């Protein structure tokens, strides 16, 4: 594959109005397989890291996702350069990335087929059958036990939080998640504990059914989370509204950091 072929493939996956270039560096790298430079809009691919075009395409889609998000941020900022993002690999990024990977599979550009390696295929079946599904059942039973323990603590006039902290030595956040899983139908256990935690956050049966369908279809956890967030957001929320909400959050954070800075400065002054 050459640079133009890769670029044409990426444009076929998702159009962009923001010009970009693809550059295979002809190098290998122990740190990264590729890199996106938002300032110059360059997708750099260390092509000597890859043994097959399939691996190269996966990384090219990864970096192209950064470009598409860069374009979205520029548009939301009214055409100006978006602010520096400290965390680039967000849940939104991974969801968008796997959306492009799905399209690439549908169009025949990319393929994930573990059946080509019989040992990996058998191991995958073992992992699912012996660990993922049984763990779902186990955590579901633990959730039911915690619900019962909570009721018994109340009968014995014992603080449930203290029971979790010092008797079970179980973090409260973990106990809360496991308890919610314990309320799910038993058939959900086959999806595994982590997926069950996602399902336990669905408030409506329709949303839960769609989440189950997405999981069973092989969607990544980040894709399922993004789908659920999208449904919970207001459909008429404009870019301006989102920026106003972000402004409010930033002002609150700045206020808290300012108060903390004043405290630290006063503490340092008292030590002199």
């Amino acid at each position: 594959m050459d640079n133009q072929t890769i670029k044409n493939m990426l444009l076929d996956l998702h159009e962009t109005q923001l010009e970009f270039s693809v550059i295979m560096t002809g190098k290998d790298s122990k740190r990264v397989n590729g890199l996106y430079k938002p300032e110059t809009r360059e997708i750099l691919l260390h092509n000597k890291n890859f043994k097959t075009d399939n691996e190269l395409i996966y990384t090219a889609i990864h970096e192209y996702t950064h470009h598409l998000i860069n374009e979205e941020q520029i548009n939301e900022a009214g055409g100006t350069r978006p602010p520096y993002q400290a965390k680039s690999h967000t849940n939104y990024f991974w969801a968008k990335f796997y959306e492009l990977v799905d399209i690439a599979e549908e169009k025949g550009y990319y393929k994930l087929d573990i059946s080509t390696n019989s040992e990996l295929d058998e191991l995958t079946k073992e992992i699912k059958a012996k660990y993922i599904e049984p763990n779902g059942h186990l955590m579901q039973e633990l959730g039911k036990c915690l619900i019962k323990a909570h009721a018994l603590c109340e009968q014995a006039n014992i603080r449930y939080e203290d029971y979790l902290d010092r008797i079970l030595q179980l973090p409260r956040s973990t106990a809360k998640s496991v308890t919610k899983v314990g309320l799910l139908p038993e058939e959900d256990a086959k999806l595994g504990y982590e997926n069950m935690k996602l399902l336990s956050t669905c408030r409506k049966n329709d949303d839960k059914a769609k989440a189950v369908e997405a999981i069973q279809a092989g969607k990544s956890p980040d894709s399922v989370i993004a789908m659920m967030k999208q449904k919970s957001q207001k459909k008429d929320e404009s870019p301006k509204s989102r920026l106003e909400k972000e402004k409010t959050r930033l002002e609150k954070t700045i206020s808290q950091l300012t108060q903390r800075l004043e405290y630290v400065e006063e503490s340092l002054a008292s030590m002199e």
Side-chain angles (χ1 to χ4, degrees):
M1 300 184 76
D2 57 26
N3 295 334
Q4 190 60 48
T5 300
I6 297 171
K7 182 175 180 178
N8 291 341
M9 177 205 67
L10 295 174
L11 288 170
D12 190 38
L13 299 181
H14 194 294
E15 293 184 355
T16 176
Q17 301 304 314
L18 191 65
E19 184 55 40
F20 72 99
S21 59
V22 175
I23 302 171
M24 287 192 285
T25 65
K27 302 176 182 179
D28 60 12
S29 172
K30 294 181 179 180
R31 294 182 64 250
V32 293
N33 291 320
L35 184 68
Y36 174 69
K37 294 185 175 182
E39 298 85 4
T40 57
R41 299 159 194 170
E42 294 175 311
I43 292 176
L44 303 181
L45 301 172
H46 299 310
N47 49 299
K48 287 198 174 180
N49 278 20
F50 313 115
K51 296 179 181 179
T52 65
D53 284 347
N54 209 45
E55 295 174 306
L56 174 66
I57 290 169
Y58 183 86
T59 299
I61 296 173
H62 179 110
E63 304 308 334
Y64 188 54
T65 305
H66 285 299
H67 175 74
L68 294 176
I69 291 177
N70 184 39
E71 180 179 32
E72 289 178 2
Q73 292 173 346
I74 289 174
N75 291 338
E76 288 186 1
T80 61
R81 182 179 175 182
Y84 171 74
Q85 297 289 326
K87 184 179 180 182
S88 58
H89 292 135
T90 61
N91 165 255
Y92 178 74
F93 169 87
W94 289 114
K96 192 171 188 66
F97 166 65
Y98 279 114
E99 179 182 336
L100 295 178
V101 170
D102 286 342
I103 296 173
E105 284 190 299
E106 292 172 4
K107 290 179 175 286
Y109 293 123
Y110 177 76
K111 189 175 184 181
L112 176 62
D113 185 6
I114 63 173
S115 65
T116 57
N117 186 307
S118 59
E119 186 176 359
L120 177 59
D121 193 24
E122 288 302 316
L123 179 60
T124 301
K125 293 175 182 177
E126 180 181 348
I127 290 171
K128 289 185 175 182
K130 293 179 64 175
Y131 302 101
I132 293 181
E133 184 173 343
N135 186 51
H137 287 290
L138 186 64
M139 299 305 286
Q140 188 175 52
E141 289 303 313
L142 175 57
K144 294 177 181 179
C145 288
L146 289 178
I147 293 171
K148 185 176 180 179
H150 194 171
L152 292 174
C153 281
E154 290 185 346
Q155 290 180 19
N157 296 319
I158 293 173
R159 286 298 298 268
Y160 179 62
E161 295 81 2
D162 195 19
Y163 171 76
L164 289 174
D165 293 341
R166 296 194 297 142
I167 300 299
L168 296 183
Q169 295 179 306
L170 189 66
R172 299 183 190 184
S173 58
T174 300
K176 185 177 181 180
S177 297
V178 175
T179 299
K180 288 183 178 180
V181 165
L183 297 172
L184 293 175
E186 291 187 8
E187 60 265 24
D188 290 339
K190 61 184 177 182
L191 300 175
Y193 174 59
E194 293 300 325
N195 285 325
M196 293 172 75
K197 283 199 296 184
L198 294 181
L199 297 181
S200 69
T201 63
C202 295
R203 296 181 179 180
K204 297 180 180 179
N205 290 333
D206 287 346
D207 291 341
K208 179 178 176 294
K210 290 178 180 178
V212 170
E213 183 179 352
I215 293 170
Q216 292 176 335
K219 298 296 182 182
S220 71
D222 287 297
S223 299
V224 179
I225 292 172
M227 180 191 73
M228 293 163 63
K229 284 183 177 179
Q230 189 176 15
K231 289 183 178 299
S232 64
Q233 292 175 346
K234 294 181 179 179
K235 293 182 179 180
D236 58 349
E237 187 176 26
S238 65
K240 180 181 179 182
S241 177
R242 288 196 296 271
L243 287 173
E244 287 174 344
K245 289 181 180 179
E246 183 179 3
K247 178 176 179 289
T248 300
R249 289 195 299 270
L250 289 172
E251 288 173 343
K252 183 178 179 180
T253 300
I254 291 171
S255 175
Q256 292 172 340
L257 291 174
T258 301
Q259 293 177 17
R260 179 60 184 174
L261 178 60
E262 291 174 354
Y263 169 77
V264 171
E265 288 176 339
E266 292 174 0
S267 299
L268 288 172
S270 66
M271 295 177 183
E272 295 177 354

